[in-house]
């Protein structure tokens, strides 16, 4: 945002305040200054009058001019295309040192003597207003020949560029910056004459009517003007618009841009003849859009969306005779949401201001515009207006003086707090007895929503440099919480996985939707609106697809044994996030080497399951056939403490073939379901253990878990562990199989004898016979 001291001076009296003070104050109140420039025209650049202009005899693009500077007539050779007789111009006399360092000397240009220079705005150190010299007019003050340009106020100025943060839309205008400085310098605003309509003007009611939907989040104010002849532009306005970096071409649009830059109110102009036929009214219909935006329509045709864009169909041009002027304000939250949700919606320069918060006092901007219009003979205004006001109630905030001082860390007098808040436009009610403030932020400060925001306003006006520094106090608190415990548990499992020979892999939380569909995963209802690529267009429901892709790449890179794991977020069909721990083992058990030998066995189910058990602890398996991308005869659900915490199995042969993989096993653990129990140290027995093997004849297909449950049901405290060690099948066994189970017995208080062990074995055999009809071989 580029501002100038002279422009600010139209709102508040800064005549006694230097540019350096303004610079320092802007920085102190949170409006960071990016650049600072003082404009001072040299005294030897004066007002001249071009008496004549003749073509240069030896150059097509040069002119020989006679320029009257009051005391003498100078011959000056000029190359500007717009120089002409009858113009008042700035003339740099001989000996002048220009702002760019150039010194003006008498010279001959193509054989013709030149005694001075007719200047452009850029050569004077001003913003560029055209491609030639800068013609002068009375808009800058009374022109008298030979008068130094340094005598004109417009050429003695301070130009400051301020970096406005996105939450401070209220400071995106000269008026907004002046409002801030009025508080910092404790200045009152200058009184502006009210715009008063003259009698016997035609009314706007004969041109337009206005209808609005209920609950629109915008304010609108419409007025009309008749353009009688070409709308010119004086030097003062050109200089201001050049400072504001206006690139518009149409004179009326440039005037509206000027008023917007000055007041902060957003304006649009419509060509009435493009809206209605002769004798008809233009019926403006303002509707609420799909995302809450306000759509301006005439005859079901969209003219604009308030604060976002305007169609070209009804824009004003150089042939416009009657223009409908629209001032608008829209809730910046609605503007931001609507423009973000509808990426296809057109947008123009209004969006930058409206999404941050434009000036809601529409009458302020419209009054400034029509005061300027009253000075123009080329425009005739219509009487009256049509308007719709946004009904908005600001949040009421309550706080006492002690609270605010505690937050600031320093005592601020309650009267100073009251002054600051009122100057900033807050509605303030102060309870003297309880010393409680009840405040409402002004409507143009949508960024103020809580007490901390109010505190920030007070601090920035008081000045952060005026708040006394205090030593920081450190008070250590217990940092162990659920998040920390989860992190430590995940870290422990990851370290165990590395110890078990797995390499950790990290992937995006996004995955390829087509690959997921081929594996049987249902599509997530939460869509990725702006995916990183076509291959990462969906939230991943599982870790396995990424792990398989990484395995495939490693196998293609001649790896014989691939063992990977990943800990990361996954998302269910409704988009709910959880954490999983995934494993994959493919090919050989380990890479062949001199130590391992050249012939290494392939990975198998039991070796894979044993490695997983070394990571997450003991678990039991229950057969399953529900996971379509696993072998239906080689998959199981993993249980710990009676809860299903994951699944394990061999990759389906079809999937292996499609991905050109060797024998591959997968496991995915539902991390959030794992129990993080503390390890309990128990006294171990000092007496020796005794082992016994038992060969049982069991029906082929009987799950070992049933045998284990039967044995555990006996609750023999001396039985420390048991596990199957061999399975034997033969024709003579028929539909049965022989399973060898190893038992380990140990007593905590004595050495067990053979008779004790035989008694325990008898109990086990009786239970197996009675419950499962199983006997010894």
């Amino acid at each position: 945002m580029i501002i100038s001291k002279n422009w600010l001076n139209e709102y508040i009296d800064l005549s006694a305040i230097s540019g350096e003070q303004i610079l320092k104050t802007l920085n102190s109140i949170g409006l960071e200054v990016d650049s600072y420039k003082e404009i001072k025209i040299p005294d030897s650049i004066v007002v001249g009058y071009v008496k004549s202009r003749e073509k240069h005899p030896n150059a097509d693009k040069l002119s020989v001019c006679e320029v009257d500077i009051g005391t003498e007539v100078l011959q000056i050779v000029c190359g500007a295309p717009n120089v002409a007789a009858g113009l008042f111009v700035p003339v740099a006399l001989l000996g002048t040192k220009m702002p760019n360092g150039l010194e003006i000397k008498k010279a001959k240009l193509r054989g013709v003597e030149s005694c001075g220079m007719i200047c452009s705005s850029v050569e004077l150190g001003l913003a560029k207003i055209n491609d030639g010299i800068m013609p002068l007019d009375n808009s800058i003050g009374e022109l008298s020949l030979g008068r130094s340009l340094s005598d004109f106020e417009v050429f003695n100025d301070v130009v400051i560029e301020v970096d406005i943060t996105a939450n401070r839309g209220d400071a995106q205008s000269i008026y907004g910056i002046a409002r801030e400085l009025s508080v910092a310098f404790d200045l009152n605003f200058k009184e502006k004459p009210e715009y008063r309509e003259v009698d016997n003007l035609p009314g706007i009611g004969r041109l337009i009517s206005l209808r609005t939907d209920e609950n629109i989040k915008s304010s609108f104010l419409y007025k009309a003007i008749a353009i009688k002849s070409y709308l010119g532009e004086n030097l003062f306005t050109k200089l201001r618009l050049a400072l504001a970096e206006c690139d518009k071409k149409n004179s009326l649009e440039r005037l509206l841009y000027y008023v917007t830059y000055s007041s902060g109110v957003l304006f649009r102009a419509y060509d009435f003849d493009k809206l209605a036929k002769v004798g008809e009214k233009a019926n403006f219909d303002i509707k609420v859009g799909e995302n809450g935006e306000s759509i301006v329509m005439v005859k079901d045709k969209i003219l604009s969306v308030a604060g976002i864009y305007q169609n070209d169909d009804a824009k004003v041009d150089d042939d416009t005779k009657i223009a409908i002027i629209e001032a608008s304000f829209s809730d910046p939250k609605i503007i931001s949401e609507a423009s973000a949700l509808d990426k296809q919606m057109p947008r123009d320069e209004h969006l930058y201001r409206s999404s941050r918060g434009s000036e809601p006092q529409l009458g302020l901007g419209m009054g400034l515009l029509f005061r300027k219009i009253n000075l123009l003979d080329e425009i005739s205004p219509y009487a009256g207006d049509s308007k719709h006001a946004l009904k908005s109630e600001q949040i009421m905030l309550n706080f006492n003086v002690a609270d605010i001082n505690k937050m600031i860390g320093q005592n601020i007098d309650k009267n100073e707090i009251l002054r600051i808040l009122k100057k900033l436009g807050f509605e303030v009610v102060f309870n003297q007895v309880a010393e409680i403030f009840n405040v409402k932020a002004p409507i143009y400060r949508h960024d103020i929503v809580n007490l901390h925001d109010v505190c920030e306003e007070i601090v920035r006006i008081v000045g952060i440099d005026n708040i006394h520094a205090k030593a920081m106090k450190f008070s250590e608190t217990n940092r162990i919480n659920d998040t920390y415990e989860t992190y430590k548990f995940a870290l422990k499992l990851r370290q165990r996985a590395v110890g078990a020979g797995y390499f950790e892999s990290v992937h995006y939380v996004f995955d390829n939707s087509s690959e997921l569909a081929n594996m049987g995963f249902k599509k997530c209802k939460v869509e990725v609106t702006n995916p990183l690529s076509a291959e990462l267009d969906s939230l991943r429901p599982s870790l396995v697809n990424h792990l398989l892709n990484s395995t495939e790449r490693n196998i293609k890179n001649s790896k014989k044994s691939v063992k990977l794991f990943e800990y990361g977020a996954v998302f269910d069909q409704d988009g709910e996030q959880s954490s999983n721990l995934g494993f994959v083992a493919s090919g050989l058990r380990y890479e062949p080497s001199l130590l391992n030998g050249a012939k290494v066995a392939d990975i198998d189910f039991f070796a894979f399951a044993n490695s997983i058990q070394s990571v997450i602890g003991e678990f039991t398996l229950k057969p399953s056939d529900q996971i379509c991308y696993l072998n239906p005869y080689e998959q199981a659900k993993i249980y710990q403490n009676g809860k299903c915490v994951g699944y394990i199995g061999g990759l389906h042969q079809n999937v292996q073939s499609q991905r050109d993989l060797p024998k591959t096993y997968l496991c995915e653990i539902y991390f959030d379901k794992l129990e993080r129990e503390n390890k309990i140290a128990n006294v171990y027995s000092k007496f020796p253990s005794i082992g016994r093997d038992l060969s049982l004849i069991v029906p082929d297909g009987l799950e070992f878990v049933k045998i284990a449950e039967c044995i555990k049901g006996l609750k023999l405290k001396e039985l420390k562990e048991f596990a199957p060690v061999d399975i034997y099948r033969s024709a003579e066994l028929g539909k049965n199989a022989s399973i060898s189970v190893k038992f380990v017995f140990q007593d905590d208080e004595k050495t067990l004898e053979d008779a004790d062990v035989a008694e325990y074995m008898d109990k086990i055999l009786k239970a197996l016979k009675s419950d499962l009809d199983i006997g010894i071989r």
Side-chain angles (χ1 to χ4, degrees), residues 143-409:
L143 299 178
S144 57
L145 298 181
R147 181 181 178 184
S148 174
L149 262 63
S150 61
D151 293 342
F152 295 91
E153 187 180 71
V154 70
F155 299 125
N156 290 278
D157 206 352
V158 172
V159 175
I160 301 172
E161 185 174 0
V162 183
D163 184 15
I164 306 297
T165 55
N167 66 315
R168 292 302 309 275
D170 61 295
Q172 292 182 122
S173 65
I174 301 297
Y175 173 73
I177 300 289
R179 187 163 48 200
E180 294 289 299
L181 291 176
S182 73
V183 182
F185 291 127
D186 197 15
L187 299 173
N188 294 321
F189 267 80
K190 293 180 178 180
E191 291 188 10
K192 297 285 185 181
E194 290 186 13
Y195 166 68
R196 296 184 181 277
E197 295 175 347
V198 299
D199 296 334
N200 301 322
L201 290 176
I204 192 175
R206 67 176 64 180
L207 298 177
I208 70 168
S209 65
L210 179 63
R211 193 203 73 81
T212 62
D213 282 357
E214 293 184 6
N215 301 322
I216 65 169
K217 301 297 184 181
S218 302
S219 296
F220 291 90
L221 176 59
Y222 290 91
K223 291 184 78 66
I225 59 172
I227 303 175
K228 296 181 287 187
S229 60
Y230 175 75
L231 185 58
E233 198 170 83
N234 59 39
L235 176 59
F236 183 84
T237 303
K238 286 179 180 178
L239 288 170
R240 286 280 174 87
L241 287 172
L243 183 71
E245 298 178 338
C246 175
D247 59 358
K248 294 187 176 296
K249 304 301 181 185
N250 181 267
S251 297
L252 178 57
E253 288 188 329
R254 286 173 63 82
L255 177 60
L256 296 180
Y257 189 97
Y258 179 98
V259 178
T260 293
Y261 200 88
S262 182
S263 68
V265 175
L266 297 181
F267 285 94
R268 296 199 190 279
Y270 306 103
D271 190 326
F272 175 75
D273 293 330
K274 296 177 182 178
L275 301 177
K277 296 179 181 178
V278 178
E280 290 183 354
K281 276 187 179 183
N283 300 313
F284 278 72
D285 192 5
I286 302 175
K287 296 185 176 182
V288 179
E290 182 180 348
N291 299 310
E293 69 274 22
S294 299
I295 304 174
V296 180
M297 308 178 72
V298 171
K299 295 180 180 179
D300 296 327
K301 189 173 185 179
I302 296 177
L303 300 183
S304 65
V305 175
I308 300 180
Y309 77 96
Q310 178 182 3
N311 280 332
D312 293 337
D313 299 343
K315 276 190 175 181
V316 294
D317 53 38
D318 292 340
D319 297 324
T320 298
K321 301 302 179 187
I322 298 176
I324 307 300
I325 308 298
E326 173 193 274
S328 67
F329 166 79
S330 298
D331 186 334
K333 292 181 182 178
I334 297 293
I335 297 294
S336 298
E337 290 174 6
S339 59
L341 293 173
D342 189 351
K343 300 293 185 183
Q344 305 304 316
M345 185 187 297
R347 50 204 69 200
D348 59 22
E349 73 278 0
H350 275 205
L351 179 61
Y352 182 86
R353 289 179 175 272
S354 60
S355 61
R356 287 160 171 76
S358 60
E359 177 58 52
Q361 300 176 80
L362 304 185
L364 170 76
M366 195 67 86
L368 173 60
L369 173 63
F370 274 75
R371 285 197 299 273
K372 287 193 166 294
I373 284 175
N374 272 353
L375 302 175
L376 302 174
D377 296 331
E378 301 93 335
I379 295 180
S380 175
Y382 280 73
D385 56 47
S386 291
K387 59 187 173 183
H388 169 82
L390 170 65
K391 296 177 181 177
S392 177
E393 188 68 23
Q394 294 296 91
I395 300 173
M396 173 71 77
L397 299 172
N398 306 307
F399 60 89
N400 59 42
V401 177
D403 289 339
I404 210 77
N405 284 335
K406 182 179 179 181
M407 195 175 295
I408 295 173

Side-chain angles (χ1 to χ4, degrees), residues 517-760:
N518 290 336
M519 294 185 69
F521 289 103
K522 294 181 180 179
K523 187 176 181 181
C524 182
K525 296 177 183 177
V526 179
E527 295 185 356
V528 180
T529 56
N530 189 20
L532 296 174
S533 67
E535 290 76 25
L536 297 170
D537 60 347
S538 176
L539 293 173
R540 64 180 180 185
S542 168
L543 303 175
V544 297
N545 188 47
H546 279 316
L547 287 172
L548 288 175
N549 287 336
S550 293
T551 301
E552 188 177 350
R553 285 190 290 271
N554 278 274
I555 292 296
K556 288 179 179 178
N557 283 332
S558 302
K559 294 292 183 182
K560 302 298 183 184
S561 174
V562 178
K563 298 174 75 175
L564 303 175
F565 82 94
E566 180 177 8
Y567 168 71
V570 296
F571 302 83
D572 64 17
Q573 195 175 356
D574 296 321
E576 294 296 325
Q577 180 177 333
S578 58
S579 297
N580 281 7
L581 185 62
F583 297 85
V584 63
S586 182
L588 305 179
R589 289 192 181 187
Y590 40 79
E591 288 285 345
S593 69
L594 181 63
L595 295 176
N596 297 332
K599 294 182 179 180
V600 180
D602 290 341
I603 189 73
D604 59 48
F605 184 91
F606 290 104
F608 181 61
N610 188 57
S611 67
I612 302 302
Q613 188 167 256
S614 69
V615 177
I616 68 170
E618 291 186 3
F619 56 76
T620 57
L621 299 177
K622 292 186 179 181
S624 170
D625 60 0
Q626 299 173 0
I627 302 172
C628 61
Y629 51 85
L630 296 182
N631 188 331
Y633 306 107
E634 201 177 16
Q635 62 171 282
K637 295 291 181 70
I638 299 174
Y639 282 80
Q640 277 189 338
N641 300 319
K643 291 193 306 184
C644 179
V645 297
Y647 63 87
I648 188 173
L651 189 61
H652 198 287
Q653 185 61 41
N654 292 340
V655 181
Q656 282 185 176
S657 300
Q658 289 170 5
R659 295 177 178 263
D660 198 19
L661 293 174
K663 187 61 179 176
T664 300
Y665 288 89
L666 287 171
C667 174
E668 190 160 23
I669 304 299
Y670 312 136
F671 177 81
D672 298 332
K673 293 186 178 181
L674 294 175
E675 292 186 5
R676 286 164 258 172
E677 296 179 349
N678 293 325
K679 295 290 185 183
I680 299 175
N682 295 318
V683 176
Y684 66 91
S685 176
K686 299 178 180 178
F687 300 96
S689 62
I690 298 178
R692 290 287 187 272
D693 291 340
L694 195 62
S695 293
L696 302 171
I697 301 295
V698 300
D700 203 1
L702 178 68
E703 297 176 9
F704 182 77
V705 67
K706 293 182 179 180
I707 298 174
E709 288 173 355
C710 178
I711 296 173
K712 288 179 180 177
L714 296 173
K715 297 182 179 178
L716 299 174
K717 66 182 181 64
E718 291 83 4
L719 179 59
K720 298 304 180 183
E721 60 179 303
F722 63 94
V725 293
D726 186 40
I727 299 176
Y728 173 74
R729 293 181 177 87
S730 67
E732 65 183 40
L733 292 176
K735 296 182 178 180
N736 295 322
S738 173
I739 180 170
S740 297
V741 182
K742 181 179 181 62
F743 295 86
V744 177
F745 298 93
Q746 188 178 37
D747 196 293
D748 294 334
E749 298 177 355
K750 66 176 183 177
T751 299
L752 292 175
E753 298 182 0
D754 289 343
D756 298 323
V757 176
E759 182 182 348
Y760 301 143

